[in-house]
């Protein structure tokens, strides 16, 4: 229907895009109320501050076309959010039934002039009223999010609120603005997934890529194949965490019932978040093969994996297996109404296919020369099935190596190159590169950052992410749909940790993907982030501080935690959590999977008589595939249970102490080991390295303390 309102003034919207600075600097200098940046993330495309204010009072009217159920839904959710965050109650009234003075008006009109289309909107806060226009419901929703942010510069509960007068015209730079959530490595509750979707939507992120299956767990109920969740959704954790206080095996896992999924999909749709389900194949399938061993390639029956890393298990390529997967995907497509299904395709080591007589026979029958081409044939069959059901396939960039179905979307994770090549070859691309957008990398060097990969991806790094490489021709750049950040959860055992990794780095990504490139302004972002973090905290989100307010405690010169020790070779560093105790806090070790060896640089040894070292052991539950040859051999032990060696002036220097591990070997948590040594003058590099047979468990240092002579 035609609305009774028009945007506050006509302006040349399109001309402002890409030239935000000139558009935004045209108005006269803002009055005091605008002295601070408006509390908006992502920064809108065009913001025109004005001198007045609108006074919003408790009980004010929110007028909306109630004939339009979507618009009415958006208005009601907005009213709920304002009541929850500011304590101001709005009365939702149907269009035409209430005076517009002092009211908020949500107007949805497909033909509205001078209003951006699609996800765009036009918002005018004037002294008499607030007018939000959009042509489509999703635009109305994003306008309501902007208005909510304007009203939540802080989150104290009030009965009236002064809103700065402003005109905002906005639309996104990229269509695909997303995050990937790995619910396979660790399971998150349906309630958490909904909370996460809330936060995505409030950042105008519109895509949740949901990684639902992997070697460590199958998380989606498939009615036709119940064992996928009866067996595949559960694993016994590695190491001490695999046994409970009564000595019984622990069963870790969970899955989403089809009712859970329908509920989550509905919830997401109401917030304009499209869920892209991922069923990863032909690798990352160990949990499915554990449930239905006939899917496997080498005829054995694995367990659901308690390990991390690249696993060997691949499904076979028989017609029955492809039919099984098609039946699974039929249930998946019935549950997820969005246009895309992600079929993985990543990290499918071909060893099992090479060793599998049935796969080799199939390849010969099909005249397929090598296993990579076989993966191409396999995924093409799956793609054809999905296309017949109206779905577009998404795959990790390995699909480029085996012939990409022309309509498939390539998700570039091994850096940007795959995405750039794919775009030049005419494929649509989503950038999701590691390490750039992999949020399992730690966000600050604070010693209390939770486990993850220690190569930092700071908030500023994410903010600086640019999906389109410089110089890419416009017709190629048109294939860059957008980008997403990945929340792989091997190291995120709790939902709190997922949120800590996600926020505020997803705020930074949201701005990089929504706002015009010319509007990118790190200083402005950090100012706008303060009220944003307050909002997120008020909603119970375990948001990190973005590494901005953390003052590092002064370092005791005689003590080093593992994060403050230098790795000896730094081949593959991880910050790993101990697997014990079962309850309560666990130690966190900065260690190296290939070479667990640490240097205390320039240790001040004058007056030092020895050392106390807190050590722990974690299961070596990492599948390194062919990289296993890179493991640095441990020195030979002299004690039955192994030793911790301390050497002077580096790892080939004089032995200072050989500390047997017998006291620590029976303690699954942290044990303090001590040793003394004769006086040494001056400052020296001390090397700490474990000597034991094999490489499991992974012995690790928690903390080193030099002990003074008495
Ligand atoms: C991936 O990180 N294996 C996509």
């Amino acid at each position: 229907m035609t609305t009774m309102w028009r945007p506050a003034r006509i302006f040349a919207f399109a001309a402002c895009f890409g030239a935000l600075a000139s558009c935004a600097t045209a108005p006269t200098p803002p009055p005091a109320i605008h002295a601070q940046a408006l509390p908006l993330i992502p920064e809108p495309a065009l913001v025109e501050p004005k001198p007045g204010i609108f006074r919003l009072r408790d009980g004010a009217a929110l007028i909306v076309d109630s004939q339009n159920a979507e618009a009415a839904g958006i208005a009601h959710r907005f009213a709920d959010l304002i009541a929850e965050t500011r304590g101001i109650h709005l009365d939702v009234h149907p269009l035409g039934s209430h005076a517009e003075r002092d009211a908020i008006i949500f107007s949805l009109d497909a033909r509205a002039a001078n209003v951006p289309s699609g996800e765009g909107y036009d918002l005018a806060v004037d002294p008499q009223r607030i007018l939000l226009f959009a042509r489509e419901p999703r635009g109305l929703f994003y306008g309501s999010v902007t208005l909510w942010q304007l009203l939540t510069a802080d989150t104290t509960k009030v009965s009236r609120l002064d809103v700065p007068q402003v005109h905002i015209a906005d639309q996104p730079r990229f269509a695909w603005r997303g995050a990937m959530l790995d619910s396979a490595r660790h399971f998150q509750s349906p309630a958490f997934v909904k909370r996460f979707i809330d936060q995505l939507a409030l950042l105008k992120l519109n895509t949740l890529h949901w990684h639902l299956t992997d070697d460590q767990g199958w998380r989606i109920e498939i009615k036709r194949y119940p064992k996928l969740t009866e067996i595949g959704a559960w694993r016994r954790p590695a190491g001490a965490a695999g046994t409970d206080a009564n000595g019984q095996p622990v069963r870790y896992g969970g899955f989403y019932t089809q009712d859970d999924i329908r509920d989550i999909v509905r919830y997401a749709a109401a917030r304009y978040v499209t869920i892209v389900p991922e069923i990863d194949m032909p690798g990352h399938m160990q949990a499915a093969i554990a449930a239905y061993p006939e899917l496997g390639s080498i005829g054995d029956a694995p367990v659901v994996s308690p390990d991390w890393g690249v696993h060997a298990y691949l499904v076979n390529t028989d017609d029955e297996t492809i039919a099984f997967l098609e039946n699974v995907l039929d249930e998946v497509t019935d549950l997820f109404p969005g246009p895309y299904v992600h079929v993985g395709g990543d990290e499918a080591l071909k060893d099992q296919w090479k060793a599998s007589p049935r796969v080799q026979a199939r390849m010969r029958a099909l005249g397929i020369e090598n296993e990579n081409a076989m993966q191409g044939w396999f995924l093409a069959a799956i793609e054809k099935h999905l296309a017949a059901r109206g779905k577009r396939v998404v795959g990790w960039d390995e699909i480029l190596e085996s012939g990409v179905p022309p309509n498939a979307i390539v998700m570039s994770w091994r850096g940007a190159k795959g995405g750039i090549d794919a775009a030049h070859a005419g494929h649509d691309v989503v950038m999701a590169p590691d390490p750039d957008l992999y949020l399992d990398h730690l966000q600050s060097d604070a010693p209390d950052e939770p486990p993850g990969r220690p190569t930092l991806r700071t908030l500023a790094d994410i903010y600086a992410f640019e999906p389109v490489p410089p110089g890419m021709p416009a017709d190629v750049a048109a294939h860059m749909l957008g980008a997403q950040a990945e929340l792989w959860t091997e190291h995120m055992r709790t939902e709190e940790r997922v949120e800590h990794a996600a926020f505020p780095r997803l705020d930074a990504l949201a701005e990089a993907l929504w706002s015009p490139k010319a509007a990118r302004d790190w200083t402005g972002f950090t100012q706008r982030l303060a009220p944003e973090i307050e909002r997120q905290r008020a909603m119970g989100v375990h948001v990190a501080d973005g590494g901005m307010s953390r003052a590092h405690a002064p370092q005791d010169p005689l003590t080093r935690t593992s994060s403050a020790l230098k790795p000896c070779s730094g081949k593959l560093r991880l910050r790993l959590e101990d697997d014990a105790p079962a309850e309560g806090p666990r130690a966190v070790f900065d260690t190296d999977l290939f070479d667990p060896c640490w240097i205390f640089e320039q240790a001040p040894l004058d007056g030092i008589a020895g050392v106390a070292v807190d050590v722990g052991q974690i299961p070596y539950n990492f599948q390194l595939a062919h990289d296993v040859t890179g493991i640095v051999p441990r020195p030979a032990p002299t004690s039955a249970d192994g030793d911790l060696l301390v050497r002077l002036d580096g790892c080939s220097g004089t032995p200072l102490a050989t500390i047997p591990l017998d006291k620590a070997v029976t303690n699954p948590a942290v044990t303090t080991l001590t040793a003394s040594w004769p006086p040494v003058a001056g400052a020296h590099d001390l090397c700490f390295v474990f000597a034991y047979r094999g490489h499991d468990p992974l012995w690790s240092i928690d903390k080193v303390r030099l002990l003074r002579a008495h």
Side-chain angles (χ1 to χ4, degrees):
M1 70 168 293
T2 315
T3 76
M4 49 201 274
W5 300 286
R6 289 283 170 264
R9 72 179 184 82
I10 307 293
F11 68 102
F13 188 86
C16 292
F17 280 95
L20 176 100
S22 59
C23 283
T25 51
T28 46
I33 194 158
H34 297 305
Q36 289 191 322
L38 294 174
L40 303 177
I41 291 178
E43 176 73 8
L46 176 74
V47 179
E48 293 180 314
K50 303 204 172 171
I53 55 151
F54 172 87
R55 178 154 291 182
L56 180 66
R57 295 176 196 278
D58 193 34
L62 170 54
I63 300 171
V64 66
D65 176 6
S66 53
Q67 301 291 306
N68 185 311
E70 243 180 304
I74 291 164
H76 281 284
R77 271 195 308 283
F78 171 80
D80 289 347
L81 203 53
I82 292 298
E84 188 187 315
T85 39
R86 296 307 318 252
I88 289 186
H89 298 87
L90 302 175
D91 284 332
V92 180
H93 291 277
L95 193 67
S97 73
H98 196 279
E100 60 180 83
R101 197 181 164 84
D102 297 331
I104 299 174
I105 300 135
F106 281 9
S107 173
L108 181 63
D109 179 356
R111 286 161 300 159
N114 304 313
V115 172
S117 58
E119 295 178 298
Y121 63 90
D122 185 290
L123 174 65
V125 178
D126 287 320
Q128 300 79 25
R129 64 190 179 186
I130 295 177
L131 274 173
L132 170 60
F133 293 89
R135 289 174 177 230
E136 290 186 28
R138 55 199 176 131
L140 195 69
F141 176 73
Y142 290 130
S144 80
V145 169
T146 298
L147 180 56
W148 172 72
Q149 290 188 348
L150 276 180
L151 301 180
T152 48
D154 70 76
T155 55
T156 47
K157 302 288 195 305
V158 291
S159 58
R160 58 160 221 243
L161 188 53
D162 286 348
V163 192
Q165 188 183 2
V166 67
H167 173 227
I168 292 172
D170 200 10
Q171 65 184 18
R173 182 172 167 216
F174 290 103
W176 187 301
R177 307 179 303 278
M180 189 215 75
L181 177 64
D182 169 8
S183 297
R185 272 52 177 271
H186 282 104
F187 176 73
Q188 304 88 25
S189 64
F192 173 85
V193 177
K194 287 161 108 178
R195 279 207 314 275
F196 187 65
I197 288 167
D198 277 334
Q199 294 307 315
L200 296 186
L202 293 174
L203 290 169
K204 304 191 175 90
L205 294 169
N206 63 3
T207 306
L208 172 63
H209 165 186
W210 202 2
H211 188 78
L212 283 164
T213 65
D214 215 305
D215 302 304
Q216 299 81 1
W218 183 283
R219 305 277 176 236
I220 171 172
E221 179 189 25
I222 301 295
K223 300 273 189 201
R224 187 165 178 154
Y225 302 116
K227 287 195 283 187
L228 284 172
T229 44
E230 284 166 14
I231 294 173
W234 307 95
R235 67 173 183 254
R236 182 175 186 190
T243 304
D244 71 14
N246 302 317
Q248 297 304 306
V250 169
R251 193 167 174 258
Y252 172 85
F255 64 92
Y256 307 98
T257 65
Q258 295 204 347
D259 282 345
D260 289 336
I261 289 184
R262 273 187 283 270
D263 180 44
I264 289 168
V265 165
R266 250 193 319 269
Y267 192 88
R271 287 150 185 82
Y272 300 91
V273 171
T274 299
I275 304 185
V276 180
E278 180 183 355
I279 307 295
D280 201 344
M281 62 184 81
H284 290 281
M285 269 282 179
Q286 188 168 323
I289 298 170
Y292 292 96
E294 61 270 30
L295 296 175
S297 295
I298 56 164
D300 67 345
V303 295
V304 178
S305 178
D307 297 343
W308 314 132
V310 178
H311 289 54
Y313 279 90
L314 298 192
V315 290
N316 67 53
T317 54
D318 293 353
D319 285 337
E320 294 75 13
T321 295
I322 290 175
F324 180 106
L325 294 170
E326 288 174 351
N327 291 334
V328 166
L329 289 169
D330 286 350
E331 293 194 30
V332 170
T333 52
D334 285 347
L335 287 167
F336 293 94
Y340 312 113
V341 174
H342 200 307
V343 295
D346 59 321
E347 297 182 315
L349 274 186
K350 299 300 184 302
D351 299 29
Q352 288 200 346
W353 278 3
K354 287 185 179 142
S356 165
R358 66 207 283 196
V359 174
Q360 291 298 317
R362 188 90 214 250
M363 282 170 59
R364 276 193 301 279
L366 291 166
I368 289 175
E369 275 183 8
N370 61 48
E371 290 74 20
N372 260 356
M374 192 60 189
Q375 174 160 328
W377 175 87
F378 173 93
L379 288 178
I382 296 292
E383 193 271 343
K384 189 158 163 255
H385 184 80
L386 285 166
R389 295 180 64 91
K391 299 292 180 180
R392 218 174 148 189
V393 154
V394 187
W396 297 108
D397 61 52
E398 282 91 337
I399 65 172
L400 283 169
E401 291 160 10
S402 56
V404 194
N407 199 35
I409 295 172
V410 175
M411 190 168 273
S412 189
W413 76 276
R414 294 175 300 177
K417 185 174 179 308
I420 294 168
D421 291 349
H424 278 280
H427 298 293
D428 284 347
V429 169
V430 174
M431 295 305 256
D434 179 24
D436 312 58
L437 297 182
Y438 268 40
L439 301 185
D440 52 343
H441 287 273
L442 302 188
Q443 58 195 297
S444 88
D445 59 3
D448 62 350
E449 276 298 343
R453 299 204 272 164
T455 316
L456 296 188
R457 293 308 297 165
T458 66
L459 185 65
D461 293 331
I462 305 291
Y463 192 76
F465 179 75
E466 171 53 39
V468 182
M472 184 176 259
D475 60 327
V476 179
H479 287 295
M480 306 302 261
L481 303 183
Q484 64 178 41
E486 276 58 53
L487 285 155
W488 297 109
T489 57
E490 286 94 333
H491 308 300
M492 299 175 201
R493 189 163 57 90
T494 64
E495 294 172 350
E496 288 77 4
R497 285 189 186 163
V498 177
E499 288 184 339
H500 178 93
F503 305 107
R505 287 186 291 182
L506 285 181
D507 293 69
L509 182 69
E511 186 146 313
L513 298 179
W514 177 284
S515 308
K517 196 172 170 190
R520 211 86 71 86
D521 166 19
W522 168 248
T523 308
F525 174 75
T526 55
Q527 285 164 3
R528 290 177 281 117
L529 192 59
E532 167 69 2
I533 286 181
E534 182 177 334
R535 277 194 285 263
Q536 289 170 333
R537 292 218 166 108
M539 285 185 282
V541 179
H542 295 85
V543 55
D545 65 5
M548 291 187 300
S549 61
R550 193 92 51 111
H552 291 206
Q555 193 167 265
D556 167 5
L558 300 186
T559 301
R560 292 278 185 283
T561 58
S562 60
S563 66
L565 296 166
K566 191 177 113 179
C568 296
S569 55
K571 293 180 86 170
L572 201 167
R573 286 175 61 222
L574 289 175
R575 178 166 295 180
L576 295 172
E577 189 176 51
D578 200 353
D579 56 333
E583 304 289 335
R586 298 177 178 180
V588 169
F589 312 114
D590 272 34
T591 189
D592 190 309
L593 283 195
F594 289 86
D595 189 14
C597 173
W598 297 257
I599 308 275
F600 189 143
E601 288 180 291
Q602 293 301 295
L605 296 184
D606 286 312
I608 295 300
V611 72
V613 191
D614 295 346
V615 305
Q617 44 175 314
I618 31 190
Y620 202 96
N621 61 327
F622 302 93
Q623 302 223 3
L624 304 178
H626 299 169
D627 293 339
V628 75
T629 52
I631 292 180
V632 175
R634 315 284 186 252
T638 55
S639 320
D641 293 318
D643 313 289
L644 172 61
L645 309 180
V646 189
R647 290 192 171 132
L648 192 65
D649 298 322
C651 296
S652 24
T654 323
L656 255 189
T658 298
I659 315 172
L661 296 176
D662 54 345
K663 245 178 67 190
V665 86
T666 51
N667 176 9
V670 166
T671 307
T672 303
L673 303 173
T674 54
S676 52
W677 55 59
V680 180
H684 297 260
D685 282 358
L686 294 182
C687 169
F688 294 82
V689 62
F690 289 97
Y692 59 108
R693 277 177 249 286
H695 56 270
D696 187 13
L698 181 64
W699 283 97
S700 285
I701 286 182
D702 179 30
K703 193 163 57 178
V704 172
R705 268 171 301 135
L706 301 176
L707 303 174
R708 291 183 205 283
H710 291 298

